[in-house]
Each structure stands twice: as structure tokens, then as C-alpha cells.
Amino acid sequence: MSNEENRLQQQIADIGTRYLRRTLGELAQLHTHLEQARSGAADAVKEIERMAHKIHGSGAMFGFDAVSERADLLERVAAEGRGDSEFLQRLESDHGAGIERGDGAGE
């Protein structure tokens, strides 16, 4: 492998690492929005959907397939947009947990 190819691979790895750090940092925001949704803030559910969409797309681009898939599920649940307790429970426990654990990071 040439020096240029090695340099390019290192740059891609660095970008992937920054993505994971950013995504882990966004988890606190997701939890905050979930608490706001529990308090009846409909805009919080939309923000969860927006953040999950971003994590889903960029996770797929960097090869973090399991993280991307969990974010896709989170995005779809948030898109339902209901604020009832069953919806909020699904949003928190079923779908957010895989992102938080980093399931499949680096697949």
C-alpha cells in the first residue's frame, strides 16, 4: 500500500472516530429531549427524529451499520410523533439503547 493510501485510510479512520465521539456526546441531548417529550414538548420528539436521522445517515456512511440501524429505528418511532407513555417507553428502551451501547461500532 502506498503512503498516499495509508494517509487516506488514516484520515477516514480519524473521521470515523470523530463521528463516534460526536454521537456519544449527542446521547445526553437525546436523553434531555426524551425528558422534554415526557413533559409534553412535541418539538422534543421532532428533535429526537432529526438527531436520529443524522446518526442513521452518517453511521451508514462510516460503516457503523448496527448504530445506523438502531438510529433508523429510533427515527421511525420518533416520526410516529405520539406523546403517550407507551410511545415514550418504546422510544427510550427499545431503540435508543443500541446507540448508547454503540452496538456494532466498527463493523
Side-chain angles (χ1 to χ4, degrees):
M1 195 177 287
S2 73
N3 284 340
E4 183 64 25
E5 290 172 328
N6 284 335
R7 189 177 65 77
L8 183 58
Q9 278 192 333
Q10 184 58 49
Q11 286 176 334
I12 291 169
D14 291 345
I15 291 169
T17 299
R18 286 194 310 262
Y19 160 76
L20 287 175
R21 283 190 195 129
R22 185 193 76 217
T23 300
L24 288 172
E26 290 175 338
L27 290 175
Q29 292 175 325
L30 283 169
H31 286 288
T32 298
H33 292 307
L34 182 60
E35 290 302 317
Q36 292 169 341
R38 282 191 184 119
S39 299
D43 58 328
V45 175
K46 283 294 182 191
E47 187 60 19
I48 291 169
E49 180 182 1
R50 184 196 67 77
M51 290 177 74
H53 177 79
K54 186 169 84 170
I55 293 167
H56 170 221
S58 52
M61 186 171 65
F62 292 119
F64 299 107
D65 296 335
V67 171
S68 180
E69 289 169 10
R70 296 300 284 205
D72 177 46
L73 291 171
L74 180 62
E75 179 185 0
R76 285 191 273 145
V77 170
E80 293 175 10
R82 294 191 321 259
D84 61 46
S85 61
E86 178 184 339
F87 161 77
L88 293 171
Q89 184 64 35
R90 276 184 62 208
L91 192 61
E92 181 177 46
S93 63
D94 291 349
H95 303 305
I99 295 171
E100 188 164 326
R101 287 191 311 266
D103 287 353
E107 287 184 300

XYZ file of all heavy atoms in Angstrom:
821
model
N 0.848 -1.168 0.000
C 0.000 0.000 0.000
C 0.902 1.242 0.000
O 1.880 1.313 0.737
C -0.898 -0.017 1.244
C -2.043 0.938 1.156
S -3.164 0.861 2.584
C -4.005 -0.679 2.323
N 0.543 2.220 -0.802
C 1.358 3.426 -0.911
C 1.149 4.340 0.296
O 0.195 4.190 1.064
C 0.995 4.184 -2.189
O -0.264 4.804 -2.039
N 2.071 5.276 0.459
C 1.946 6.257 1.543
C 0.651 7.055 1.419
O 0.011 7.369 2.423
C 3.144 7.219 1.543
C 4.381 6.574 2.104
O 4.312 5.573 2.814
N 5.534 7.141 1.781
N 0.261 7.374 0.200
C -0.984 8.134 -0.034
C -2.201 7.323 0.405
O -3.110 7.844 1.041
C -1.096 8.522 -1.508
C -2.295 9.360 -1.843
C -2.294 10.727 -1.184
O -1.209 11.242 -0.841
O -3.381 11.285 -0.983
N -2.207 6.033 0.092
C -3.314 5.168 0.501
C -3.360 5.031 2.025
O -4.440 5.064 2.622
C -3.195 3.791 -0.155
C -3.455 3.817 -1.640
C -3.140 2.489 -2.308
O -2.219 1.773 -1.842
O -3.801 2.177 -3.309
N -2.193 4.885 2.647
C -2.132 4.811 4.114
C -2.653 6.094 4.749
O -3.389 6.058 5.732
C -0.703 4.540 4.587
C -0.299 3.106 4.392
O -1.127 2.210 4.349
N 0.997 2.882 4.247
N -2.254 7.228 4.188
C -2.693 8.521 4.707
C -4.214 8.664 4.575
O -4.894 9.098 5.502
C -1.982 9.659 3.970
C -2.212 11.034 4.576
C -1.427 12.121 3.855
N -1.857 12.321 2.483
C -2.964 12.979 2.121
N -3.748 13.495 3.028
N -3.265 13.120 0.857
N -4.743 8.258 3.434
C -6.179 8.334 3.211
C -6.933 7.428 4.181
O -7.944 7.833 4.770
C -6.511 7.965 1.765
C -7.971 8.060 1.355
C -8.505 9.470 1.571
C -8.137 7.636 -0.095
N -6.442 6.215 4.384
C -7.089 5.299 5.334
C -7.070 5.877 6.741
O -8.044 5.756 7.478
C -6.415 3.931 5.313
C -6.893 3.053 4.195
C -6.440 1.616 4.369
O -5.416 1.335 4.991
N -7.212 0.703 3.803
N -5.973 6.504 7.125
C -5.872 7.108 8.448
C -6.859 8.270 8.588
O -7.491 8.430 9.631
C -4.447 7.592 8.741
C -4.266 8.130 10.141
C -4.611 7.108 11.210
O -4.158 5.972 11.160
N -5.434 7.491 12.175
N -7.012 9.054 7.549
C -7.962 10.164 7.586
C -9.389 9.655 7.744
O -10.170 10.207 8.523
C -7.851 11.020 6.322
C -6.624 11.889 6.280
C -6.498 12.637 4.968
O -7.005 12.204 3.928
N -5.808 13.770 5.010
N -9.720 8.592 7.032
C -11.060 8.005 7.137
C -11.280 7.449 8.543
O -12.336 7.647 9.143
C -11.264 6.919 6.061
C -11.322 7.580 4.679
C -12.527 6.101 6.329
C -11.264 6.609 3.520
N -10.275 6.788 9.098
C -10.382 6.259 10.459
C -10.568 7.397 11.463
O -11.376 7.283 12.394
C -9.154 5.431 10.815
N -9.854 8.491 11.271
C -9.982 9.653 12.163
C -11.385 10.252 12.094
O -11.961 10.628 13.114
C -8.946 10.726 11.822
C -7.525 10.304 12.154
O -7.338 9.315 12.910
O -6.594 10.963 11.643
N -11.927 10.328 10.895
C -13.286 10.860 10.731
C -14.287 9.945 11.434
O -15.201 10.408 12.116
C -13.628 11.034 9.238
C -12.785 12.161 8.638
C -15.116 11.314 9.045
C -12.849 12.229 7.115
N -14.119 8.636 11.284
C -14.999 7.684 11.962
C -14.923 7.816 13.472
O -15.943 7.761 14.167
N -13.727 8.015 13.996
C -13.551 8.207 15.445
C -14.254 9.473 15.910
O -14.935 9.482 16.940
C -12.052 8.264 15.799
O -11.457 7.014 15.428
C -11.836 8.507 17.277
N -14.113 10.544 15.135
C -14.800 11.799 15.493
C -16.311 11.621 15.450
O -17.038 12.153 16.295
C -14.355 12.939 14.572
C -12.956 13.433 14.882
C -12.636 14.755 14.216
N -12.920 14.812 12.806
C -12.027 14.636 11.827
N -10.772 14.386 12.120
N -12.385 14.739 10.567
N -16.803 10.865 14.468
C -18.236 10.584 14.387
C -18.717 9.884 15.658
O -19.728 10.259 16.246
C -18.548 9.720 13.154
C -19.875 9.020 13.268
C -21.061 9.714 13.078
C -19.953 7.671 13.614
C -22.285 9.081 13.215
C -21.171 7.036 13.746
C -22.328 7.745 13.550
O -23.533 7.115 13.701
N -17.986 8.850 16.084
C -18.387 8.117 17.282
C -18.364 9.024 18.520
O -19.280 8.977 19.340
C -17.491 6.901 17.498
C -17.718 5.742 16.545
C -16.688 4.648 16.794
C -19.130 5.200 16.661
N -17.342 9.839 18.646
C -17.279 10.767 19.786
C -18.451 11.739 19.764
O -19.068 12.003 20.789
C -15.964 11.545 19.770
C -14.801 10.749 20.258
C -13.581 11.642 20.453
N -12.404 10.803 20.586
C -11.293 10.945 19.904
N -11.165 11.922 19.033
N -10.290 10.131 20.091
N -18.736 12.294 18.586
C -19.853 13.234 18.466
C -21.169 12.548 18.820
O -21.993 13.086 19.552
C -19.919 13.805 17.043
C -21.012 14.883 16.919
C -21.327 15.240 15.483
N -22.140 14.169 14.920
C -22.058 13.734 13.676
N -21.189 14.256 12.845
N -22.830 12.771 13.247
N -21.346 11.334 18.304
C -22.589 10.603 18.558
C -22.743 10.299 20.043
O -23.826 10.472 20.609
C -22.629 9.308 17.728
O -22.554 9.666 16.334
C -23.892 8.517 17.975
N -21.673 9.887 20.688
C -21.741 9.643 22.132
C -22.077 10.932 22.875
O -22.829 10.924 23.840
C -20.428 9.040 22.635
C -20.185 7.596 22.211
C -18.768 7.159 22.592
C -21.216 6.664 22.806
N -21.532 12.049 22.417
C -21.847 13.331 23.025
C -23.296 13.732 22.830
O -23.889 14.409 23.680
N -23.889 13.303 21.731
C -25.290 13.634 21.450
C -26.268 12.830 22.292
O -27.445 13.175 22.386
C -25.588 13.437 19.965
C -24.918 14.476 19.101
C -25.092 14.229 17.617
O -25.356 13.068 17.217
O -24.958 15.195 16.855
N -25.793 11.761 22.923
C -26.688 10.945 23.743
C -27.292 11.747 24.893
O -28.472 11.576 25.212
C -25.963 9.711 24.277
C -25.633 8.674 23.216
C -24.804 7.563 23.830
C -26.888 8.125 22.580
N -26.508 12.624 25.494
C -27.043 13.459 26.572
C -28.164 14.331 26.041
O -29.192 14.519 26.720
C -25.936 14.307 27.192
N -27.995 14.851 24.837
C -29.043 15.673 24.227
C -30.285 14.834 23.955
O -31.409 15.297 24.178
C -28.556 16.299 22.926
C -27.484 17.334 23.101
C -26.953 17.819 21.760
O -26.865 17.050 20.798
N -26.609 19.091 21.704
N -30.090 13.623 23.472
C -31.242 12.743 23.223
C -32.003 12.477 24.511
O -33.239 12.499 24.525
C -30.782 11.431 22.591
C -30.429 11.482 21.108
C -29.745 10.185 20.673
C -31.667 11.729 20.261
N -31.280 12.224 25.593
C -31.944 11.994 26.882
C -32.693 13.237 27.346
O -33.799 13.139 27.870
C -30.928 11.544 27.940
C -30.468 10.136 27.756
N -31.257 9.040 28.008
C -29.285 9.639 27.326
C -30.599 7.935 27.746
N -29.388 8.273 27.320
N -32.101 14.406 27.145
C -32.767 15.657 27.505
C -34.052 15.818 26.710
O -35.101 16.172 27.266
C -31.832 16.862 27.266
O -30.694 16.727 28.113
C -32.535 18.174 27.538
N -33.991 15.552 25.418
C -35.185 15.666 24.578
C -36.245 14.638 24.988
O -37.444 14.939 24.948
C -34.836 15.516 23.104
C -34.027 16.645 22.567
N -34.401 17.964 22.686
C -32.845 16.655 21.914
C -33.492 18.739 22.125
N -32.530 17.967 21.663
N -35.815 13.470 25.403
C -36.766 12.460 25.872
C -37.488 12.952 27.125
O -38.709 12.814 27.246
C -36.057 11.134 26.137
C -36.949 9.982 26.577
C -37.999 9.669 25.521
C -36.109 8.759 26.863
N -36.735 13.540 28.043
C -37.365 14.095 29.249
C -38.347 15.213 28.887
O -39.427 15.307 29.462
C -36.301 14.618 30.215
C -35.478 13.526 30.878
C -36.335 12.539 31.663
O -37.267 12.978 32.372
O -36.083 11.322 31.553
N -37.971 16.035 27.917
C -38.864 17.103 27.473
C -40.120 16.518 26.836
O -41.222 17.032 27.046
C -38.146 18.027 26.483
C -37.043 18.839 27.122
C -36.169 19.544 26.094
O -36.144 19.193 24.913
N -35.430 20.534 26.558
N -39.961 15.440 26.070
C -41.114 14.782 25.449
C -42.047 14.226 26.519
O -43.268 14.307 26.388
C -40.650 13.671 24.509
N -41.471 13.693 27.589
C -42.291 13.196 28.700
C -43.116 14.316 29.319
O -44.181 14.075 29.864
C -41.412 12.578 29.778
C -40.923 11.221 29.452
C -40.286 10.590 30.686
N -39.727 9.323 30.330
C -38.453 9.007 30.437
N -37.588 9.878 30.894
N -38.029 7.822 30.088
N -42.596 15.534 29.251
C -43.295 16.690 29.807
C -44.278 17.288 28.807
O -44.872 18.329 29.080
C -42.288 17.765 30.230
O -41.431 17.257 31.222
N -44.409 16.653 27.642
C -45.397 17.091 26.664
C -44.872 17.979 25.560
O -45.659 18.513 24.783
N -43.566 18.152 25.445
C -42.993 19.025 24.418
C -42.922 18.277 23.085
O -42.037 17.448 22.870
C -41.611 19.510 24.836
N -43.852 18.580 22.185
C -43.901 17.915 20.880
C -42.651 18.222 20.059
O -42.193 17.380 19.284
C -45.144 18.334 20.119
N -42.092 19.410 20.218
C -40.893 19.754 19.454
C -39.705 18.888 19.858
O -38.784 18.669 19.066
C -40.566 21.238 19.583
C -40.349 21.688 21.013
O -40.978 21.121 21.930
O -39.559 22.635 21.214
N -39.719 18.360 21.076
C -38.636 17.477 21.525
C -38.642 16.178 20.723
O -37.581 15.654 20.371
C -38.759 17.193 23.014
N -39.821 15.658 20.412
C -39.919 14.432 19.617
C -39.382 14.689 18.219
O -38.657 13.865 17.663
C -41.375 13.911 19.573
C -41.499 12.707 18.652
C -41.862 13.566 20.975
N -39.685 15.844 17.662
C -39.160 16.201 16.339
C -37.639 16.314 16.369
O -36.956 15.928 15.421
C -39.771 17.511 15.833
C -41.162 17.349 15.314
C -41.114 16.479 14.080
C -42.463 16.310 13.458
N -42.443 15.267 12.435
N -37.099 16.828 17.458
C -35.643 16.951 17.582
C -34.993 15.569 17.705
O -33.931 15.323 17.145
C -35.277 17.833 18.775
C -33.814 18.153 18.877
C -33.225 18.904 17.683
O -33.975 19.512 16.897
O -31.987 18.853 17.523
N -35.637 14.657 18.427
C -35.144 13.276 18.504
C -35.127 12.665 17.106
O -34.146 12.029 16.707
C -36.006 12.436 19.466
C -35.795 12.911 20.904
C -35.696 10.941 19.325
C -36.786 12.340 21.898
N -36.191 12.887 16.354
C -36.263 12.364 14.988
C -35.137 12.945 14.134
O -34.455 12.217 13.402
C -37.615 12.711 14.368
C -37.783 12.208 12.956
C -39.119 12.618 12.342
O -39.924 13.303 12.990
O -39.328 12.239 11.175
N -34.877 14.251 14.243
C -33.836 14.908 13.455
C -32.456 14.349 13.819
O -31.660 14.010 12.938
C -33.865 16.424 13.684
C -32.862 17.186 12.813
C -32.623 18.591 13.313
N -31.942 18.630 14.599
C -30.646 18.415 14.790
N -29.867 18.109 13.779
N -30.114 18.482 15.996
N -32.187 14.231 15.110
C -30.887 13.734 15.552
C -30.686 12.279 15.125
O -29.602 11.901 14.681
C -30.755 13.879 17.068
C -30.635 15.320 17.517
S -30.562 15.457 19.319
C -28.886 14.881 19.597
N -31.729 11.471 15.269
C -31.633 10.059 14.875
C -31.393 9.938 13.373
O -30.619 9.083 12.928
C -32.892 9.312 15.287
N -32.024 10.803 12.601
C -31.827 10.798 11.148
C -30.360 11.063 10.810
O -29.769 10.386 9.962
C -32.728 11.854 10.502
C -32.545 11.966 9.028
N -33.107 11.075 8.135
C -31.848 12.857 8.282
C -32.762 11.414 6.910
N -31.998 12.497 6.968
N -29.771 12.030 11.489
C -28.371 12.383 11.248
C -27.444 11.227 11.643
O -26.525 10.875 10.900
C -28.022 13.648 12.039
C -26.640 14.176 11.757
C -26.448 15.550 12.358
C -26.055 15.427 13.808
N -25.615 16.703 14.388
N -27.693 10.625 12.797
C -26.878 9.496 13.257
C -27.032 8.317 12.300
O -26.048 7.650 11.953
C -27.261 9.099 14.697
C -26.874 10.215 15.672
C -26.616 7.775 15.091
C -27.474 10.062 17.063
N -28.259 8.084 11.850
C -28.536 6.991 10.926
C -27.729 7.156 9.640
O -27.014 6.241 9.209
C -30.038 6.950 10.636
C -30.443 6.037 9.539
N -31.394 6.372 8.611
C -30.026 4.804 9.199
C -31.546 5.388 7.752
N -30.730 4.419 8.087
N -27.801 8.321 9.031
C -27.134 8.545 7.755
C -25.620 8.512 7.858
O -24.938 7.847 7.068
N -25.090 9.202 8.835
C -23.633 9.249 8.937
C -23.076 7.923 9.440
O -21.984 7.513 9.031
C -23.172 10.421 9.816
O -23.818 10.430 11.054
N -23.810 7.211 10.282
C -23.358 5.899 10.727
C -23.227 4.932 9.566
O -22.248 4.186 9.463
N -24.185 4.964 8.658
C -24.123 4.100 7.476
C -22.935 4.492 6.598
O -22.234 3.624 6.072
C -25.421 4.201 6.686
N -22.698 5.784 6.462
C -21.607 6.261 5.615
C -20.246 5.805 6.144
O -19.347 5.489 5.367
C -21.660 7.789 5.543
C -20.661 8.389 4.588
S -20.924 10.146 4.330
C -20.578 10.800 5.956
N -20.098 5.736 7.467
C -18.815 5.357 8.059
C -18.710 3.871 8.368
O -17.722 3.422 8.956
C -18.542 6.171 9.320
C -18.309 7.627 9.031
C -19.142 8.582 9.567
C -17.266 8.035 8.215
C -18.945 9.926 9.296
C -17.064 9.375 7.937
C -17.909 10.326 8.476
N -19.738 3.085 8.021
C -19.671 1.649 8.198
C -20.069 1.152 9.572
O -19.812 -0.001 9.905
N -20.724 1.994 10.373
C -21.217 1.582 11.684
C -22.668 1.137 11.508
O -23.612 1.817 11.901
C -21.085 2.718 12.699
C -19.664 3.150 12.903
C -19.198 4.351 12.408
C -18.779 2.338 13.596
C -17.885 4.749 12.591
C -17.459 2.717 13.787
C -17.013 3.929 13.279
N -22.819 -0.039 10.889
C -24.131 -0.498 10.459
C -25.113 -0.699 11.600
O -26.277 -0.303 11.494
C -23.999 -1.786 9.648
C -23.232 -1.579 8.352
O -23.207 -0.434 7.844
O -22.648 -2.562 7.849
N -24.691 -1.310 12.683
C -25.616 -1.570 13.788
C -26.066 -0.265 14.432
O -27.250 -0.104 14.772
C -24.977 -2.489 14.824
N -25.163 0.692 14.601
C -25.532 2.002 15.147
C -26.521 2.669 14.205
O -27.542 3.221 14.631
C -24.281 2.894 15.369
C -24.675 4.313 15.733
C -23.387 2.294 16.442
N -26.235 2.614 12.920
C -27.112 3.215 11.919
C -28.505 2.582 11.944
O -29.521 3.287 11.883
C -26.493 3.059 10.526
O -27.323 3.625 9.553
N -28.552 1.266 12.050
C -29.847 0.568 12.089
C -30.655 0.957 13.321
O -31.865 1.169 13.238
C -29.633 -0.938 12.041
C -29.150 -1.425 10.685
C -28.691 -2.873 10.700
O -28.917 -3.577 11.712
O -28.080 -3.290 9.701
N -29.993 1.052 14.481
C -30.702 1.451 15.706
C -31.209 2.885 15.584
O -32.317 3.193 16.005
C -29.803 1.301 16.925
C -29.380 -0.112 17.238
C -30.543 -1.014 17.516
N -31.072 -0.759 18.834
C -31.735 -1.622 19.559
N -31.921 -2.832 19.111
N -32.200 -1.296 20.740
N -30.398 3.750 14.991
C -30.822 5.140 14.800
C -32.003 5.208 13.834
O -32.916 6.019 14.024
C -29.663 5.988 14.303
N -31.997 4.351 12.820
C -33.120 4.297 11.886
C -34.408 3.925 12.623
O -35.462 4.544 12.419
C -32.821 3.298 10.776
C -33.969 3.136 9.791
O -34.530 4.167 9.351
O -34.299 1.986 9.438
N -34.322 2.920 13.486
C -35.499 2.533 14.265
C -35.955 3.674 15.174
O -37.152 3.969 15.270
C -35.189 1.286 15.105
C -34.980 -0.005 14.334
C -34.474 -1.100 15.266
C -36.259 -0.439 13.650
N -35.008 4.327 15.833
C -35.327 5.458 16.690
C -35.994 6.569 15.884
O -36.995 7.150 16.301
C -34.057 5.969 17.364
C -34.193 7.161 18.301
C -35.094 6.815 19.480
C -32.815 7.587 18.794
N -35.464 6.845 14.713
C -36.037 7.868 13.842
C -37.477 7.523 13.461
O -38.366 8.383 13.510
C -35.182 8.004 12.584
C -35.700 9.015 11.597
C -34.908 9.054 10.304
O -33.931 8.287 10.149
O -35.274 9.873 9.446
N -37.698 6.270 13.092
C -39.055 5.871 12.688
C -40.042 5.940 13.838
O -41.185 6.360 13.662
C -39.032 4.482 12.056
C -38.455 4.538 10.643
C -38.651 3.274 9.879
N -37.535 2.377 10.182
C -37.641 1.059 10.263
N -38.787 0.468 10.094
N -36.581 0.336 10.531
N -39.614 5.525 15.029
C -40.503 5.616 16.196
C -40.805 7.082 16.492
O -41.954 7.451 16.732
C -39.883 4.912 17.423
C -40.674 5.212 18.684
C -39.832 3.410 17.194
N -39.785 7.933 16.454
C -39.993 9.363 16.716
C -40.900 9.982 15.650
O -41.693 10.877 15.952
C -38.659 10.091 16.775
N -40.809 9.502 14.412
C -41.644 10.034 13.335
C -43.122 9.775 13.584
O -43.978 10.511 13.089
C -41.213 9.445 11.994
N -43.416 8.735 14.387
C -44.812 8.487 14.759
C -45.358 9.672 15.545
O -46.546 9.950 15.508
C -44.935 7.210 15.582
C -44.629 5.948 14.813
C -44.638 4.722 15.708
O -45.066 4.813 16.882
O -44.200 3.663 15.235
N -44.458 10.323 16.292
C -44.754 11.592 16.929
C -45.782 11.610 18.041
O -46.227 12.674 18.434
N -46.157 10.483 18.557
C -47.125 10.480 19.661
C -46.406 10.793 20.961
O -45.241 10.487 21.133
C -47.789 9.108 19.776
C -48.644 8.747 18.597
C -49.465 7.507 18.894
N -48.726 6.500 19.649
C -48.178 5.424 19.130
N -48.240 5.207 17.842
N -47.558 4.562 19.883
N -47.108 11.370 21.894
C -46.518 11.690 23.180
C -47.042 10.823 24.317
O -46.805 11.138 25.476
N -47.738 9.723 24.002
C -48.279 8.893 25.076
C -47.172 8.069 25.728
O -46.068 7.940 25.207
C -49.426 8.006 24.576
C -49.007 7.038 23.483
O -47.961 6.378 23.626
O -49.744 6.935 22.488
N -47.468 7.518 26.885
C -46.443 6.836 27.671
C -45.912 5.587 26.962
O -44.721 5.272 27.062
C -46.967 6.486 29.057
O -48.074 5.621 28.961
N -46.753 4.861 26.239
C -46.289 3.665 25.521
C -45.269 4.059 24.451
O -44.221 3.427 24.311
C -47.465 2.944 24.869
C -47.050 1.726 24.068
C -48.230 1.082 23.357
O -49.389 1.284 23.755
O -47.956 0.370 22.376
N -45.573 5.114 23.722
C -44.662 5.615 22.702
C -43.326 6.022 23.316
O -42.263 5.660 22.828
C -45.303 6.804 21.979
C -44.315 7.662 21.244
C -43.793 7.257 20.033
C -43.915 8.874 21.772
C -42.876 8.043 19.357
C -43.008 9.669 21.094
C -42.487 9.248 19.884
N -43.382 6.765 24.415
C -42.159 7.231 25.062
C -41.332 6.069 25.592
O -40.102 6.085 25.514
C -42.483 8.222 26.179
C -43.085 9.545 25.695
C -43.575 10.368 26.876
C -42.088 10.325 24.864
N -41.994 5.040 26.097
C -41.281 3.854 26.574
C -40.558 3.170 25.416
O -39.403 2.789 25.539
C -42.255 2.875 27.246
C -41.574 1.676 27.845
C -40.636 2.041 28.981
O -40.895 2.965 29.738
N -39.530 1.335 29.076
N -41.240 3.025 24.276
C -40.599 2.427 23.093
C -39.416 3.264 22.645
O -38.370 2.740 22.302
C -41.595 2.339 21.932
C -42.481 1.141 21.953
C -43.371 1.085 20.728
N -42.597 0.975 19.499
C -43.025 1.433 18.322
N -44.170 2.053 18.211
N -42.279 1.286 17.246
N -39.594 4.554 22.644
C -38.549 5.464 22.201
C -37.308 5.322 23.066
O -36.191 5.263 22.564
C -39.079 6.895 22.265
C -38.283 7.994 21.607
C -38.147 7.738 20.120
C -38.962 9.328 21.848
N -37.514 5.214 24.364
C -36.376 5.150 25.279
C -35.734 3.767 25.324
O -34.539 3.624 25.116
C -36.802 5.555 26.679
C -35.661 5.529 27.665
C -36.079 6.001 29.034
O -37.134 5.560 29.507
O -35.352 6.812 29.608
N -36.515 2.747 25.593
C -35.908 1.453 25.893
C -35.616 0.594 24.671
O -34.563 -0.027 24.603
C -36.773 0.677 26.872
O -38.027 0.394 26.291
N -36.501 0.548 23.722
C -36.316 -0.367 22.607
C -35.264 0.091 21.617
O -34.530 -0.721 21.083
C -37.628 -0.561 21.838
C -38.660 -1.332 22.629
O -38.299 -1.901 23.670
O -39.818 -1.345 22.204
N -35.174 1.388 21.376
C -34.378 1.837 20.246
C -33.162 2.661 20.623
O -32.143 2.562 19.967
C -35.264 2.604 19.266
C -36.423 1.779 18.812
N -36.277 0.536 18.247
C -37.746 1.985 18.895
C -37.468 0.033 17.973
N -38.374 0.886 18.354
N -33.231 3.452 21.631
C -32.090 4.283 21.985
C -30.944 3.505 22.596
O -29.790 3.886 22.475
N -31.244 2.391 23.231
C -30.212 1.653 23.958
C -29.096 1.148 23.055
O -27.937 1.163 23.431
C -30.848 0.485 24.717
N -29.420 0.701 21.863
C -28.391 0.188 20.966
C -27.409 1.252 20.536
O -26.224 0.992 20.365
N -27.891 2.471 20.371
C -26.994 3.565 20.024
C -26.089 3.862 21.206
O -24.888 4.030 21.064
C -27.792 4.818 19.618
C -28.567 4.555 18.335
C -26.866 6.024 19.443
C -29.542 5.635 17.979
N -26.674 3.910 22.394
C -25.902 4.247 23.587
C -24.800 3.234 23.842
O -23.697 3.595 24.223
C -26.835 4.338 24.790
C -26.162 4.862 26.013
C -27.156 5.314 27.051
O -28.219 5.820 26.699
O -26.844 5.120 28.229
N -25.097 1.973 23.629
C -24.079 0.934 23.841
C -23.068 0.929 22.712
O -21.992 0.362 22.855
C -24.752 -0.449 23.900
C -25.526 -0.705 25.165
C -25.927 -2.168 25.250
N -26.548 -2.672 24.045
C -27.863 -2.715 23.820
N -28.689 -2.247 24.713
N -28.340 -3.197 22.712
N -23.422 1.531 21.574
C -22.522 1.506 20.435
C -22.525 0.150 19.757
O -21.519 -0.287 19.235
N -23.670 -0.535 19.797
C -23.762 -1.849 19.171
C -23.182 -1.825 17.775
O -23.558 -1.021 16.945
C -25.230 -2.292 19.064
C -25.822 -2.694 20.393
O -25.068 -2.763 21.370
O -27.039 -2.922 20.443
N -22.265 -2.719 17.533
C -21.735 -2.904 16.205
C -20.732 -1.841 15.782
O -20.388 -1.758 14.618
N -20.266 -1.030 16.694
C -19.327 0.016 16.313
C -18.102 -0.611 15.655
O -17.507 -1.542 16.164
C -18.902 0.831 17.542
N -17.803 -0.105 14.493
C -16.636 -0.566 13.778
C -16.834 -1.841 13.004
O -15.897 -2.510 12.641
N -18.071 -2.181 12.715
C -18.349 -3.396 11.942
C -17.674 -3.305 10.596
O -17.586 -2.312 9.984
C -19.838 -3.571 11.744
C -20.529 -4.003 12.991
C -21.998 -4.249 12.733
O -22.705 -3.355 12.328
O -22.404 -5.380 12.949
